[in-house]
DNA sequence: GTAGGGTTAG
């Protein structure tokens, strides 16, 4: 055994850590003097070396040293083993730490409370809080007692598994037991609350415990980390004003925000569309001499992409490179996604190629982004080619990869390929998620594969797979669209028996379904019942009702309801406006249709292809050439291309409309644009979700 | 020698 350890040690010495010590021997080190004698050090010497330099150690070396230490008799102190375990834990190689622990126990060494704390933290970080608790109930009971560090890890573990309530219960319990939470405990709980979208609770905790009115004995003096966590959490939930307030408060307390704090605040502001404010804080930060790093640049690049400024985002990428800040895979996938969202698939592809050229590892997210880009513009062959390339790049597809591809395949009607891909999931050891089943159900229904959809649905119901209301929504929508209103109604009635609560989406689907299947009275009855009960309906529900009313010729009623939306604090979407515009056009009320179109533009709601088509159709029908010209111009401004339309062609064909001919030729849709239009229409096809 | 904060995809 000892010789095996010696061999292992000499390998380590040749390989890494020690060789660098030979090159740069530390002054006045007796260990180095030993080493320069070119004899293989004994395990004990090795242990001494390790203890001296464990700060710069890598995981492999730590594991080897650990094994060596296990051979030493008498055993080195437990603290030395803990130190090495701590080093490995810092690298997030939790499985290795657990392995080390078992080796230790196997060698009859008695772990102390720190060993157990490290072990528990590893289990918690791996989302196995149950095993963490098992350690507390087992080893801990025998040897020593858990302390505040133990409980902090357990609280983190519960939060990571989304058991926020349990985490709060544990927090209160330990206070009841007389423990004083440390600043780490507070930070962990705040982070856990913010992670689960409970930033308001975190803020309340901060206010209660931070003031003199708090529970007796409970003191909380937040530090930089606590503030950063709380600010980011609040901003993420759209409570940007509260985040800013806290930002000022911490400054007032003399705690100066650092890069992480600014990043969290700026991220929140960007996500909430408060671009100017974000810029203001960014400038303040730079003025304070804090340099942005790759994470903040990525946040900014995402924000630019989200507001349609991919060119600027691209410029920012170049700027960060110029400034010597290396982009990472997050940065690249963010910008690639920005390009894909604008259908600039070639730019995304070039970036993807650039990553390879620069020697960057292209991770699964990069692949997923590009695959999604290809799916969005209906280039499924390319998407599948990328999928097949992933293996070559040693990149394992995730459930997101499969869900993306399945969605894309169903959208272009490639049901056979979707089916084949689904069976491949098992080969790739990827477990389908409830989203996967939703995509399959939706895909089968939309491609008129009613039998398959029903089969899958019944298999799922029988399999014991926990179906949530979202899945039922897809089935209900499928039934309604397939004209099977009887099945939909029956299933809808049965939801409570299954312990499921219909959501606003469920109700919207049913209202739309009733209208579509000519049960207008039932649709309105459901709508009125919901309104009277105080159930909060959203703009989609109202859009479904408006659409139904318009279709049954109740334009007056629809107009009244539309006007009432504003009182309810609801903001009409492009779909809502298009529905109303369509209603007016169909009834020959072109003036009303047009004024609503102007209104939506004024409100900052961008008209889309469907809006333009509806209006264009209306104005063509009444031969209003000047309006058609105006609309064509507006479309061109928005980079939207008209569909080839017979009536539009007739107007343009008229000799008297030379300017129109010219304009139409300039905006003549190419094959690619026609495909994009088709893709957009499919995406927007009366989707309630 | 153990516990806490900011970035990407469906």
């Amino acid at each position: 055994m000892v010789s095996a350890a010696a061999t292992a040690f000499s390998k380590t010495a040749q390989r890494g850590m020690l060789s660098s010590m030979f090159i740069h021997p530390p002054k006045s080190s007796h260990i180095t003097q030993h080493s320069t004698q070119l004899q293989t050090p004994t395990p004990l010497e090795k242990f001494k070396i390790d203890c001296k330099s464990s700060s710069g150690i890598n995981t492999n070396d730590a594991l080897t040293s650990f094994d060596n230490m296990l051979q030493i008799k008498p055993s080195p102190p437990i603290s030395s083993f803990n130190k090495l375990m701590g080093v490995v834990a810092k690298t997030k190689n939790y499985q290795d730490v657990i392995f080390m622990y078992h080796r230790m126990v196997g060698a009859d060494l008695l772990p102390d409370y720190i060993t157990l704390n490290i072990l528990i933290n590893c289990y918690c970080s791996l989302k196995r809080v149950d095993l963490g608790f098992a350690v507390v109930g087992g080893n801990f009971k025998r040897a020593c007692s858990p302390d505040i560090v133990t409980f902090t890890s357990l609280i983190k573990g519960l939060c990571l598994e989304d058991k926020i309530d349990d985490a709060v219960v544990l927090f209160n319990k330990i206070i009841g037991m007389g423990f004083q939470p440390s600043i780490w405990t507070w930070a962990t709980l705040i982070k856990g609350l913010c992670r689960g979208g409970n930033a308001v609770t975190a803020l309340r905790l901060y206010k209660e415990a931070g003031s003199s009115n708090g529970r007796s004995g409970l003191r909380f003096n937040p530090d930089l980390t606590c503030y950063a966590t709380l600010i980011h959490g609040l901003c993420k939930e759209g409570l940007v004003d509260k985040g800013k307030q806290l930002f000022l408060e911490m400054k007032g307390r003399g705690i100066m925000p650092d890069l992480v704090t600014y990043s969290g605040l700026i991220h929140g502001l960007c996500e909430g569309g408060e671009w100017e404010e974000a810029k203001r804080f960014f400038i303040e930060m730079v003025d304070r001499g804090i340099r942005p790093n790759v994470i903040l640049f990525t946040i900014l690049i995402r924000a630019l992409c989200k507001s349609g400024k991919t060119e600027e985002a691209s410029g920012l990428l170049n700027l960060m490179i110029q400034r010597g800040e290396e982009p990472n895979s997050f940065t690249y996938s963010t910008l690639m996604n920005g390009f894909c969202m604008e259908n600039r698939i070639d730019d995304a592809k070039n970036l993807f190629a650039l990553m390879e050229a620069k020697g960057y590892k292209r991770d699964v997210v990069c692949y997923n982004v590009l695959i999604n880009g290809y799916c969005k513009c209906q280039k499924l062959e390319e998407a599948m080619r990328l999928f097949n390339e992933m293996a070559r790049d040693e990149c394992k597809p995730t459930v997101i990869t499969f869900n993306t591809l399945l969605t894309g395949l169903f959208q272009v009607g490639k049901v056979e390929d979707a089916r084949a891909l689904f069976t491949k999931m098992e080969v790739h050891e990827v477990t389908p998620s409830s989203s996967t089943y939703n995509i399959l159900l939706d895909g089968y229904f939309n491609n008129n594969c009613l039998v398959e959809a029903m089969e899958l649905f019944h298999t799922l119901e029988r399999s014991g797979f926990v179906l949530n209301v979202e899945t039922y929504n897809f089935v209900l929508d499928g039934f309604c669209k397939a004209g099977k209103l009887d099945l939909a109604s029956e299933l809808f009635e049965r939801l409570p028996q299954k312990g499921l609560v219909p959501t606003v989406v469920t109700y919207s689907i049913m209202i739309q379904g009733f209208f579509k299947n000519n049960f207008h009275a039932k649709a309105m009855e459901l709508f009125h019942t919901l309104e009277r009960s105080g159930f909060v309906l959203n703009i989609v529900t109202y859009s479904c009702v408006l659409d139904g009313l318009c279709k049954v010729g109740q334009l007056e009623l629809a107009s009244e309801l539309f006007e009432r939306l504003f009182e309810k604090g609801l903001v009409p979407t492009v779909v809502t406006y298009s529905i109303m515009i369509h209603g007016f056009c169909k009834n020959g009320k072109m003036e009303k249709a047009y004024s609503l179109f102007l209104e939506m533009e004024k409100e900052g709601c961008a008209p889309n292809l469907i809006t333009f088509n509806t209006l264009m159709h209306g104005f063509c029908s009444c031969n209003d050439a000047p309006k058609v010209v105006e609309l064509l111009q507006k479309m061109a401004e928005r980079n939207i291309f008209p569909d080839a339309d017979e009536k539009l062609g007739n107007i343009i064909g008229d000799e008297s409309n030379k300017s129109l001919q010219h304009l139409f030729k300039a905006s003549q849709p190419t094959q690619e644009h026609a495909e994009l239009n088709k893709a957009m229409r499919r995406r927007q096809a009366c989707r309630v979700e």
Side-chain angles (χ1 to χ4, degrees), chain A residues 280-463:
Chain A
R280 192 170 70 78
F281 282 108
F282 181 79
I283 292 166
E284 180 190 296
M285 186 194 87
V286 175
D287 282 348
R288 283 190 48 217
I290 301 172
R291 280 171 66 96
N293 68 355
V294 58
I295 296 182
L296 185 49
F297 274 119
T298 306
I299 290 170
L300 297 173
I301 286 173
R302 181 178 144 90
L304 286 167
C305 288
K306 261 187 76 178
S307 47
K309 296 170 181 164
T310 31
E311 270 320 300
E312 286 181 46
S314 190
L316 195 57
L317 176 79
N318 292 329
L319 184 76
M320 71 178 280
I321 294 170
Q322 272 172 31
R323 291 178 54 122
E325 201 60 57
E326 271 296 300
N328 59 21
S329 67
F330 283 62
T331 326
Y332 279 111
S333 36
T334 302
L335 187 55
M336 275 167 55
N337 194 46
F339 283 139
C340 288
M341 290 304 105
E342 288 191 351
N343 290 314
R344 289 170 60 177
I345 192 75
D346 287 336
D347 291 315
K349 196 176 79 184
N350 289 340
L351 216 52
F352 190 72
L354 184 73
M355 282 183 80
E356 190 179 38
K358 281 191 165 189
Y360 282 105
K361 165 106 183 93
R362 297 181 298 194
D363 63 13
V364 64
V365 179
C366 293
Y367 272 98
N368 288 349
V369 165
L370 199 56
I371 286 174
N372 185 43
Y374 279 122
C375 286
K376 275 222 151 47
C377 60
Q378 317 231 21
K379 293 185 174 167
L380 266 296
E381 295 80 11
E382 279 299 303
M384 287 304 292
R385 194 186 53 76
L386 268 172
F387 171 74
N388 291 322
E389 250 181 38
M390 290 177 77
R392 213 191 56 198
D393 237 355
E394 288 174 339
C395 196
K396 277 167 75 94
T398 63
V399 69
I400 296 181
T401 321
F402 283 99
N403 289 353
T404 308
L405 279 165
L406 287 170
T407 307
L409 288 168
F410 277 121
Q411 247 166 24
V412 297
K414 293 193 168 188
V415 180
E416 271 306 316
D417 292 354
R419 211 178 279 134
L421 186 69
F422 177 64
T423 57
K424 270 194 188 166
M425 289 183 80
E426 206 174 346
V427 183
H428 285 85
E429 294 172 325
V430 176
T431 313
S433 63
S434 55
S435 298
T436 316
Y437 294 119
N438 294 345
I439 293 163
L440 287 173
L441 286 166
D442 196 45
Y444 287 141
F445 276 122
N446 284 334
N447 286 283
N448 302 316
C449 304
L450 198 61
V451 177
E452 260 187 293
M454 304 262 280
E455 260 176 30
L456 174 62
F457 175 54
H458 291 133
T459 309
L460 284 170
E461 276 208 311
R462 280 194 300 266
S463 71

Side-chain angles (χ1 to χ4, degrees), chain A residues 9-21:
Chain A
F9 168 66
S10 79
K11 273 186 192 159
T12 312
Q14 286 160 17
R15 204 173 54 211
M17 186 184 65
L18 286 179
S19 57
S20 64
M21 291 186 71

Side-chain angles (χ1 to χ4, degrees), chain A residues 171-172 175 179-181 186 205 208-211 214-220:
Chain A
F171 181 80
N172 286 324
I175 289 165
F179 284 98
Q180 187 64 244
W186 283 108
L205 213 61
E208 280 175 10
S211 74
R215 276 179 286 183
S216 59
L218 204 55
R219 287 279 172 275
F220 175 36

Side-chain angles (χ1 to χ4, degrees), chain A residues 57-72:
Chain A
I57 207 164
N58 69 40
T59 305
N60 271 343
D61 290 338
L63 286 169
T64 314
S65 305
F66 194 83
D67 271 357
N68 291 328
M69 275 162 55
L70 286 171
Q71 310 300 328
I72 301 168

Side-chain angles (χ1 to χ4, degrees), chain A residues 127-172:
Chain A
K127 298 192 180 186
R128 287 305 304 264
V129 74
D130 54 330
L131 297 176
F133 276 107
V135 175
V136 177
N139 296 27
F140 242 131
K141 250 187 199 158
R142 286 200 299 272
C144 38
S145 310
D147 61 1
I148 192 61
V149 176
T150 325
F151 290 122
T152 302
S153 294
L154 290 170
I155 288 170
K156 178 179 80 174
L158 288 168
C159 292
L160 284 178
E161 291 182 32
D162 299 321
K163 296 170 179 164
I164 311 291
D165 293 344
D166 293 343
V168 175
V169 168
L170 181 61
F171 181 80
N172 286 324

Side-chain angles (χ1 to χ4, degrees), chain A residues 508-541:
Chain A
S508 305
I509 287 168
M510 289 313 294
I511 289 171
Q512 194 186 51
F514 284 134
F515 270 123
K516 192 180 151 54
N517 292 276
N518 299 318
F519 289 91
H520 312 144
K522 279 208 118 175
M524 289 312 284
E525 188 192 319
L526 178 57
F527 170 62
H528 286 133
T529 310
L530 289 166
E531 266 208 321
R532 273 197 303 272
S533 72
F535 189 93
V536 181
L537 299 173
N538 63 21
I539 189 62
V540 179
T541 328

